[in-house]
Amino acid sequence: MRQILAFAAVGVVNTATYFFLYLLFLAAFPYLVAHVLAFALSMIGSFFLNARFTYRTRPTWRKFLLFPLTNLSNFVITTAGVYLIVDVLHAGSRFAPLLASAAAIPVTFVVSRRVMLPRAESETIA
């Protein structure tokens, strides 16, 4: 339960960081470029926050290099969602990422836990 709450808190910080960067980049780039850049930069911060607060594990290069895999499903779901909201539903691009990201949260937690914790520790905590 502590991990889920910590993951949620880190998620709030990460989402705020992402959204700030998205709006910043949106002023200079098309919405999909702004989304990709903001996502990549906020993912770096998410790695360190999750290592420290959610999983209480030492960040390593191996985990850092594998961490983008934890966000792959998040990236695919949010990118498809942003496209659907903006281009298909013709809604505004300003809040589309926040709406699209909600569906990806549970999947991201499960996958990130597998990457950040050793297999035995991950299974005993579950």
Side-chain angles (χ1 to χ4, degrees):
M1 186 58 149
R2 185 205 60 78
Q3 281 184 351
I4 292 171
L5 293 174
F7 186 80
V10 168
V12 168
V13 170
N14 189 50
T15 300
T17 302
Y18 161 81
F19 193 58
F20 171 77
L21 291 171
Y22 174 75
L23 292 177
L24 185 71
F25 292 140
L26 191 58
F29 301 106
Y31 76 91
L32 281 177
V33 173
H35 166 67
V36 170
L37 289 172
F39 194 93
L41 290 173
S42 66
M43 187 172 46
I44 293 169
S46 179
F47 168 76
F48 288 106
L49 290 173
N50 275 303
R52 173 72 173 99
F53 297 109
T54 304
Y55 303 111
R56 295 181 180 171
T57 187
R58 186 175 59 89
T60 64
W61 279 108
R62 180 180 185 282
K63 290 175 189 173
F64 182 76
L65 295 174
L66 288 174
F67 192 73
L69 296 176
T70 71
N71 287 289
L72 184 59
S73 60
N74 185 311
F75 180 77
V76 169
I77 292 168
T78 57
T79 301
V82 167
Y83 174 79
L84 177 73
I85 291 166
V86 174
D87 284 346
V88 176
L89 300 177
H90 303 291
S93 61
R94 189 172 185 92
F95 295 103
L98 295 178
L99 296 172
S101 66
I105 293 169
V107 175
T108 304
F109 175 75
V110 171
V111 177
S112 68
R113 183 179 167 132
R114 292 263 184 213
V115 168
M116 298 297 280
L117 294 177
R119 188 159 185 87
E121 185 179 347
S122 178
E123 290 170 359
T124 59
I125 293 174

